[in-house]
Amino acid sequence: MEKFDICVHFLLAKALQRVNQVSKSKLASYGVTPVQFALLRRLWEKDGQFGYALAEQLLMDSATITGIIDRLEHNGFIERRMDPNDRRNKLVFLTEKGKSMEVSLCEKMDEMNKEVMSDFDVEEIQQFKKVLFKIGISNTNMGV
Amino acid sequence: MEKFDICVHFLLAKALQRVNQVSKSKLASYGVTPVQFALLRRLWEKDGQFGYALAEQLLMDSATITGIIDRLEHNGFIERRMDPNDRRNKLVFLTEKGKSMEVSLCEKMDEMNKEVMSDFDVEEIQQFKKVLFKIGISNTNMGV
DNA sequence: CACGAATTACTTGTATACAAATCATCTTGA
DNA sequence: TCAAGATGATTTGTATACAAGTAATTCGTG
């Protein structure tokens, strides 16, 4: 069993790949991708946010955010509005369609979570998340 | 500290992002990306492999492999040769340049591993890898 | 007040990632 | 043997991801 000698990089990539695949299939019928869901969730928590604020929360490049907002807007989930106080900024708001999907989409992602993490008990998951957090977030110059 | 209530999907994505960034910066001066390194490593183990075999080992789509091989070939690390026995196949071989880089690149990736995983002891890493493995690989129809 | 610095969103270019379709080739079964 | 299906690599189209650069706007300092 030298299975766990596999490089962490590879294992991380494949674990994410799997989670992405399950998420994608759960969300597909709604026309939303996993990353788009992550952005929507921020808006369900607090509607009307600046692009740079969303980028910060999602630890993403502003170029990436632009593309994701483009597609969500094109599909009618959100809309951009100019900030009247600072015309450099654009505020992102949910549309009615975007608001109405919160419950269904969150349910689907709960299903995903159960499906992917069902092999582990609470303690294992906590420890696992702690390591992920240290690797990916707390060691960075980025926000928490 | 409700930090670890963060969705596993997000934590995984950010941990991989971090590992990718460190790997990329270590490899950048050699003109190789992290994914390209993973493919090269398979060839250092066994030179002259079929595209589909590499795709299998790396758990990647054949379309993705084509692009990676394209770029590695374009940069002179590998070359494609027709399989004389079955002209559908193409064999991928290291060039001298590709062979000569094994030691330097592996050293760099060892550095990356130390940098990213230095906060954890052997036991923690083993347990962490076990969870990653179960999520990403053993639960799949894909090979081990 | 004016001009340079900073900020935000966006654009461009490159690299994964994968689904779906295509092309060439091989294999198999009638 | 020959048509039907399988197989492997590639192409095309879409979606992240990020570096680097740009345009518009605002801020800060003299």
Side-chain angles (χ1 to χ4, degrees):
Chain A
M1 300 255 202
E2 73 291 345
K3 282 175 187 174
F4 308 133
D5 286 347
I6 302 173
C7 167
V8 184
H9 194 338
F10 185 76
L11 289 170
L12 268 172
K14 295 313 151 187
L16 180 61
Q17 197 178 55
R18 165 93 196 294
V19 172
N20 257 325
Q21 276 165 5
V22 177
S23 304
K24 202 193 282 186
S25 70
K26 296 272 180 197
L27 298 176
S29 60
Y30 298 90
V32 171
T33 67
V35 172
Q36 289 169 14
F37 171 83
L39 195 149
L40 285 176
R41 196 156 58 168
R42 297 302 168 169
L43 293 178
W44 292 324
E45 274 177 16
K46 182 176 178 312
D47 199 7
Q49 296 204 49
F50 298 118
Y52 74 89
L54 292 166
E56 235 172 57
Q57 290 170 66
L58 300 172
L59 304 183
M60 260 177 211
D61 197 275
S62 74
T64 305
I65 288 285
T66 296
I68 296 167
I69 293 178
D70 279 349
R71 285 178 283 277
L72 280 170
E73 186 170 39
H74 181 262
N75 292 325
F77 297 110
I78 62 176
E79 59 181 24
R80 287 170 164 103
R81 296 186 210 153
M82 290 308 255
D83 177 6
N85 299 111
D86 185 340
R87 281 177 300 173
R88 286 172 307 184
N89 290 346
K90 286 182 187 163
L91 284 158
V92 180
F93 283 91
L94 290 162
T95 60
E96 284 312 312
K97 180 180 173 189
K99 282 177 195 167
S100 71
M101 301 182 73
E102 179 174 359
V103 176
S104 325
L105 293 182
C106 288
E107 273 173 14
K108 284 292 171 185
M109 289 301 271
D110 282 345
E111 278 177 36
M112 178 282 289
N113 244 290
K114 285 203 186 70
E115 199 166 314
V116 169
M117 302 303 292
S118 59
D119 286 346
F120 313 104
D121 60 40
V122 177
E123 191 131 342
E124 276 178 316
I125 293 175
Q126 210 64 9
Q127 171 64 17
F128 178 63
K129 284 186 175 183
K130 205 183 79 184
V131 176
L132 285 176
F133 183 84
K134 275 197 203 171
I135 293 176
I137 302 181
S138 72
N139 265 328
T140 325
N141 53 342
M142 299 165 136
V144 177
Chain B
M1 300 258 200
E2 73 290 346
K3 283 176 186 175
F4 308 133
D5 287 345
I6 301 172
C7 166
V8 184
H9 193 338
F10 185 77
L11 289 170
L12 268 172
K14 295 313 151 187
L16 180 61
Q17 197 178 56
R18 164 93 196 293
V19 172
N20 257 326
Q21 275 166 6
V22 177
S23 303
K24 201 192 283 186
S25 71
K26 296 272 181 197
L27 298 175
S29 60
Y30 298 91
V32 172
T33 67
V35 172
Q36 290 169 13
F37 170 82
L39 195 149
L40 284 176
R41 198 156 57 167
R42 296 301 166 170
L43 293 178
W44 292 324
E45 274 177 16
K46 181 175 178 312
D47 199 6
Q49 296 204 48
F50 298 119
Y52 73 89
L54 292 166
E56 236 172 55
Q57 290 170 66
L58 299 173
L59 304 182
M60 261 178 211
D61 197 276
S62 74
T64 304
I65 288 285
T66 296
I68 296 168
I69 293 177
D70 278 349
R71 286 178 283 276
L72 280 169
E73 187 170 40
H74 181 262
N75 291 324
F77 298 109
I78 61 176
E79 59 181 24
R80 286 170 164 101
R81 295 186 210 153
M82 290 307 255
D83 176 7
N85 299 110
D86 185 340
R87 281 178 300 172
R88 287 173 305 185
N89 290 346
K90 286 182 185 164
L91 285 159
V92 181
F93 283 92
L94 290 162
T95 60
E96 284 310 312
K97 180 180 172 187
K99 282 178 194 167
S100 71
M101 300 182 74
E102 179 173 357
V103 176
S104 325
L105 293 182
C106 287
E107 274 173 13
K108 285 292 171 185
M109 289 301 270
D110 282 346
E111 278 177 34
M112 178 282 289
N113 244 290
K114 285 204 187 73
E115 200 167 314
V116 169
M117 302 303 290
S118 59
D119 285 346
F120 312 104
D121 60 41
V122 177
E123 190 131 340
E124 278 178 317
I125 293 175
Q126 210 65 8
Q127 170 65 17
F128 178 63
K129 284 186 175 183
K130 206 182 78 185
V131 176
L132 285 176
F133 184 84
K134 276 197 201 169
I135 294 176
I137 302 180
S138 71
N139 266 328
T140 325
N141 52 343
M142 301 166 135
V144 177

